[in-house]
Amino acid sequence: MLRLETCRIMNGDYAVEADLEIAPGACVAVIGPSGAGKSTLVEAVAGFLPVTRGRILWNGAELTRQAPGKRPVAMLFQDGNLFPHLTVAQNVGLGLHANLRLSASEWRRVDAALERVGLGGMGTRKPAALSGGQQSRVALARVLVQGRDILLLDEPFAALGPALKAEMLDLVAELARESGATVLMVSHDPNDARRIADQVVLLADGKAHPPQQTAELLDNPPPALKAYLG
Amino acid sequence: MAGRAQPVSAYPGISAALLVAALILGTLGAVALRAEAGSGFGASDWAALRFTLTQASLSALLSVGLAIPVARALARRRFWGRSLLIALLGAPFILPVIVAILGLLAVFGRAGWLSGLLGLFGMEPVQIYGLHGVVLAHVFFNLPLATRLILQGWQEIPAERFRLAAQLDAGPLAMWRLLEGPMLRRVAPGALAVVFAICLSSFAVALTLGGGPRATTIELAIYQAFRFDFDLGRAALLSGLQLLLTGAAALVALRVSAGEGFGAGLDRAVQRWDGQGALARGLDGFWIVLSAAFLLLPLAAIVLAGLPGLAALKGSVWQAAGNSILVAALSTVILLMLALPMAAAAAAGRSGIAELSGILGLAASPLVIGTGLFILIYPIADPFALALPVTALVNAVMALPFAMRILVPRAREVLGRYGRLSLSLDMQGWAFVRRVYLPRMRAQTGFAAGLAAALSMGDLGVVALFADPDFATLPLQIYRLMGAYRMEAAAGAALLLLVLSMGAFWILDRGGRWHAEA
């Protein structure tokens, strides 16, 4: 279980407060008006922003002071998820060892992950030679070999068209189900939440509300959410 | 620490910055300790101070004053060869001073093209030595820089403003009041201050075109006190004065300057609707032709004069060329070992490092560092035996501010874009440096290395202080040939130096961009 215990997260001159729990294996969307601090919340879980009060716990173990790379967390960003000077296979291999010293069996795992996301045989290409959707698949293959318990998505598919984005979200849901990972995804589109999220965390007025069932919340939005959804 | 975590440590960069500061301040300290033993200011020292200020003021005023119409013409005209001419404006930066001086002598000297032309009309040949020669050479080097700075000002005016001005049917006077005046008030003081600061520490130009009691800069006076009189106390006193002067000018220059004229996209022409009359076109054409001729004729003269001498180059010139290549290579390596960690530290939130190196780099004078190093080395080793490494080190420090201006913005971009991803992959320290930082910085590293190599290859400064008669770099050898009135050999060696400098820049800059992904 991912637990944010009376957390206060500083991002420059504003703060986000969160006191909530997310069940293991759940797929949770974080929605709210832009500027409310959606990215701030997931960046704190990833360890990029300091938590000035409270603690973050995963299955009872405290993460609050851990370095980002030591947390059981994999994250995909809005852009810049791949290194353009490394090949597709190297980009995925970073998920196993950041210094890229992989054994033969580890390289086979990389190939298998690429196979799984539908990019078999493309390992030697550079990201620039791939389409936007294929680049997203490479990033997901890396998440797959990382095998972390928590997957954070900060709108990594925002630049894709609607059909492609839906395809990627379905792939995320599928991969998460197979590995049992807990997914926390930032979104400004309620349809994304309806598509794959069981629950929704609403962020408004600097406060993250505990998760609620997606359909329930979106069908009967509280005033803050209603103002945002229009 | 309140900021974000970063995948790369700032400590190597901070150590490098401390090393540089220690070198600059340590040599200054060594000089200051000696200065107390000195004998106070003489009349010739005051003359040197006056001449330094006069020539720097005149050079700045003329460079910027001429750059205003040239930049305006370049900003509003489109013609064949325009982007080539603008690229050429960057060339004097890496052009060895001694090469340019030989070119200027061939055009403006007593036996030069201009004097020949005047002779046809029965007029006296022009005199290039002295104040006006020094100013001429400084304008040759700094007119292109000032033009680039002001051109950048033109480019930064939003295109909508020009459309609005066109709709308002603004004439030349209104254009001046609406657009050009405000832009120049913003840009010109910075350009003036930068050129003034650069000309303050002029050494090689004053050494070759100045000299004598009436045309000696402080840097030249340091050299003379050192080389001819071996008066360390006086050299130290002058060094202190020089440092005070350049330090103050550097602070002012950094305070008022907006850009540095390195920016990309300067060859993009702004679409404009004003200045379509025949007079405006004619004037713009005049300025463009004049500035192009002023830049190109001395370069053409070097090539023409150097070709016959190239075949007859002596062994001593080739040996000097070998020394220059060694100095340039060593200097480039030192520069990268300092600048790459410093850029990483600056990007990782220690932005003070970038500013500090900018101030110290502009304020530091090679002759002052050289004097200080000499004083420090003298009791423990033979300074003349260390001419090569000392020259390389000082050249690297002088190139540092330029390298930082090239590297820091890119380092910020790399850390901003890939910092979080690398951290979340637990990729830190050396793994990050090797897998991400260095590969992503390659194009900028190549550019900075190219500048450093070319600057070092063409430098005639601290080496003149340290070299004994048996040791010479190519620029020093050219200076010695000129002193012996062997002008053909000097021209041949100058062409060789031109090829070496430009070649080193081209190879390193190209190498950095070779197969580099965007």
Side-chain angles (χ1 to χ4, degrees):
Chain A
M1 175 185 313
L2 177 66
R3 192 168 149 71
L4 279 74
E5 216 174 66
T6 61
C7 280
R8 186 180 166 83
I9 306 146
M10 293 302 297
N11 186 0
D13 50 3
Y14 75 95
V16 170
E17 307 218 346
D19 187 18
L20 52 87
E21 284 178 5
I22 288 167
C27 182
V28 179
V30 181
I31 64 173
S34 52
K38 302 190 291 286
S39 296
T40 304
L41 184 72
V42 294
E43 290 208 347
V45 175
F48 296 120
L49 288 174
V51 175
T52 51
R53 199 184 66 206
R55 338 187 267 165
I56 299 175
L57 302 144
W58 170 249
N59 291 341
E62 182 165 350
L63 306 181
T64 324
R65 303 272 164 252
Q66 270 183 19
K70 308 292 183 202
R71 299 186 183 203
V73 169
M75 181 160 176
L76 292 185
F77 306 93
Q78 266 177 17
D79 54 9
N81 284 302
L82 302 179
F83 296 104
H85 59 283
L86 300 181
T87 64
V88 163
Q90 284 176 318
N91 266 294
V92 176
L94 289 173
L96 290 171
H97 285 297
N99 60 20
L100 280 182
R101 280 192 209 110
L102 305 193
S103 66
S105 71
E106 284 171 324
W107 281 119
R108 278 196 295 278
R109 275 178 66 194
V110 168
D111 288 340
L114 282 172
E115 197 76 46
R116 172 66 191 84
V117 298
L119 292 179
M122 298 209 187
T124 55
R125 298 199 193 178
K126 293 279 176 77
L130 303 183
S131 71
Q134 286 173 324
Q135 292 180 5
S136 300
R137 287 172 185 271
V138 177
L140 282 174
R142 189 179 58 222
V143 168
L144 204 59
V145 300
Q146 276 183 285
R148 303 283 170 93
D149 298 328
I150 303 168
L151 172 59
L152 304 175
L153 304 177
D154 189 1
E155 302 197 77
F157 313 126
L160 303 178
L164 206 48
K165 186 166 82 166
E167 199 181 308
M168 286 302 140
L169 288 173
D170 290 347
L171 183 56
V172 166
E174 220 175 286
L175 296 176
R177 212 175 309 125
E178 285 171 22
S179 64
T182 306
V183 180
L184 199 56
M185 61 176 235
V186 169
S187 177
H188 61 266
D189 184 351
N191 290 327
D192 293 354
R194 279 193 203 273
R195 191 167 190 96
I196 67 165
D198 328 310
Q199 294 179 309
V200 169
V201 165
L202 173 63
L203 240 165
D205 306 321
K207 192 171 177 336
H209 297 266
Q212 290 171 271
Q213 294 305 309
T214 306
E216 255 172 54
L217 184 74
L218 290 180
D219 291 341
N220 302 299
L225 183 58
K226 201 168 186 173
Y228 168 65
L229 294 175
Chain B
M1 195 182 74
R4 284 177 171 279
Q6 296 288 357
V8 61
S9 164
Y11 290 109
I14 294 173
S15 314
L18 286 177
L19 217 66
V20 173
L23 177 69
I24 292 173
L25 299 177
T27 49
L28 171 66
V31 167
L33 283 178
R34 274 299 190 134
E36 287 173 52
S39 51
F41 252 51
S44 65
D45 300 325
W46 287 115
L49 174 62
R50 260 199 312 280
F51 179 76
T52 302
L53 292 175
T54 311
Q55 60 84 12
S57 311
L58 279 176
S59 302
L61 283 174
L62 275 173
S63 297
V64 175
L66 292 172
I68 290 171
V70 175
R72 173 167 53 194
L74 284 172
R76 66 183 183 186
R77 300 294 161 205
R78 270 169 252 197
F79 52 90
W80 185 87
R82 180 177 176 277
S83 47
L84 189 70
L85 181 59
I86 289 174
L88 209 68
L89 289 177
F93 186 77
I94 54 170
L95 185 66
V97 177
I98 193 87
V99 172
I101 284 169
L102 275 167
L104 288 168
L105 280 174
V107 176
F108 298 100
R110 249 189 108 72
W113 298 353
L114 185 64
S115 292
L117 198 67
L118 290 173
L120 291 180
F121 300 96
M123 284 188 268
E124 289 285 300
V126 284
Q127 182 57 261
I128 194 171
Y129 293 97
L131 174 64
H132 49 283
V134 170
V135 171
L136 178 78
H138 283 162
V139 172
F140 175 80
F141 276 102
N142 293 304
L143 171 63
L145 172 68
T147 305
R148 284 176 78 93
L149 287 171
I150 295 173
L151 198 53
Q152 201 168 331
W154 276 114
Q155 308 283 12
E156 280 163 10
I157 297 177
E160 296 78 26
R161 298 271 170 81
F162 288 106
R163 289 189 201 143
L164 183 62
Q167 276 206 325
L168 297 170
D169 200 18
L173 209 69
M175 283 299 286
W176 171 267
R177 262 220 322 261
L178 289 175
L179 299 176
E180 192 165 21
M183 182 276 285
L184 285 178
R185 270 197 293 281
R186 192 168 55 80
V187 174
L192 276 172
V194 166
V195 175
F196 182 79
I198 290 174
C199 294
L200 275 186
S201 49
S202 167
F203 172 69
V205 168
L207 178 69
T208 44
L209 294 177
R214 295 181 54 198
T216 295
T217 59
I218 299 176
E219 290 270 299
L220 186 55
I222 296 174
Y223 167 75
Q224 286 166 348
F226 198 92
R227 260 329 260 213
F228 302 152
D229 313 331
F230 205 69
D231 184 348
L232 282 179
R234 181 147 171 272
L237 197 69
L238 287 164
S239 296
L241 178 66
Q242 173 71 10
L243 207 96
L244 222 66
L245 217 57
T246 45
L251 277 179
V252 173
L254 286 179
R255 186 69 46 91
V256 294
S257 70
E260 65 285 314
F262 278 146
L266 284 182
D267 54 351
R268 172 177 55 92
V270 180
Q271 196 183 357
R272 295 175 55 154
W273 292 267
D274 64 308
Q276 297 307 318
L279 180 69
R281 281 166 182 273
L283 271 178
D284 283 352
F286 167 79
W287 284 112
I288 289 167
V289 170
L290 195 72
S291 60
F294 182 52
L295 282 182
L296 287 174
L297 284 180
L299 289 180
I302 272 297
V303 176
L304 287 179
L307 278 175
L310 206 54
L313 286 183
K314 290 261 173 53
S316 57
V317 171
W318 291 111
Q319 205 175 1
N323 285 337
S324 277
I325 293 173
L326 271 180
V327 167
L330 186 59
S331 174
T332 307
V333 170
I334 296 173
L335 171 88
L336 292 182
M337 284 171 63
L338 292 172
L340 282 168
M342 281 172 70
R350 305 300 181 104
S351 52
I353 285 186
E355 286 167 27
L356 187 75
S357 76
I359 294 174
L360 286 179
L362 262 178
S365 118
L367 273 268
V368 174
I369 301 180
T371 311
L373 278 178
F374 195 100
I375 294 171
L376 288 175
I377 295 172
Y378 192 62
I380 45 173
D382 176 15
F384 296 114
L386 294 174
L388 195 147
V390 164
T391 305
L393 176 66
V394 175
N395 286 344
V397 170
M398 299 316 290
L400 190 59
F402 304 110
M404 291 293 280
R405 273 188 234 174
I406 295 163
L407 294 177
V408 170
R410 176 64 174 180
R412 288 213 170 103
E413 206 180 297
V414 171
L415 283 188
R417 195 169 166 81
Y418 299 112
R420 291 181 311 173
L421 175 58
S422 303
L423 277 177
S424 82
L425 293 168
D426 203 15
M427 178 160 48
Q428 296 184 55
W430 181 239
F432 176 80
V433 169
R434 197 166 76 97
R435 289 291 173 192
V436 181
Y437 183 69
L438 293 180
R440 301 312 300 156
M441 297 286 290
R442 216 177 74 187
Q444 286 70 22
T445 307
F447 184 37
L451 279 188
L455 286 175
S456 177
M457 191 86 76
D459 177 63
L460 175 57
V462 74
V463 69
L465 218 56
F466 270 74
D468 59 12
D470 300 332
F471 178 84
T473 59
L474 194 47
L476 186 59
Q477 186 65 22
I478 295 170
Y479 174 64
R480 286 177 182 168
L481 288 171
M482 284 168 75
Y485 296 102
R486 292 175 50 202
M487 295 311 274
E488 196 184 270
L495 184 57
L496 176 64
L497 178 57
L498 180 67
V499 171
L500 285 179
S501 292
M502 297 291 165
F505 174 77
W506 189 82
I507 288 171
L508 288 168
D509 184 40
R510 255 313 142 90
R513 283 181 288 157
W514 187 255
H515 284 304
E517 291 84 5

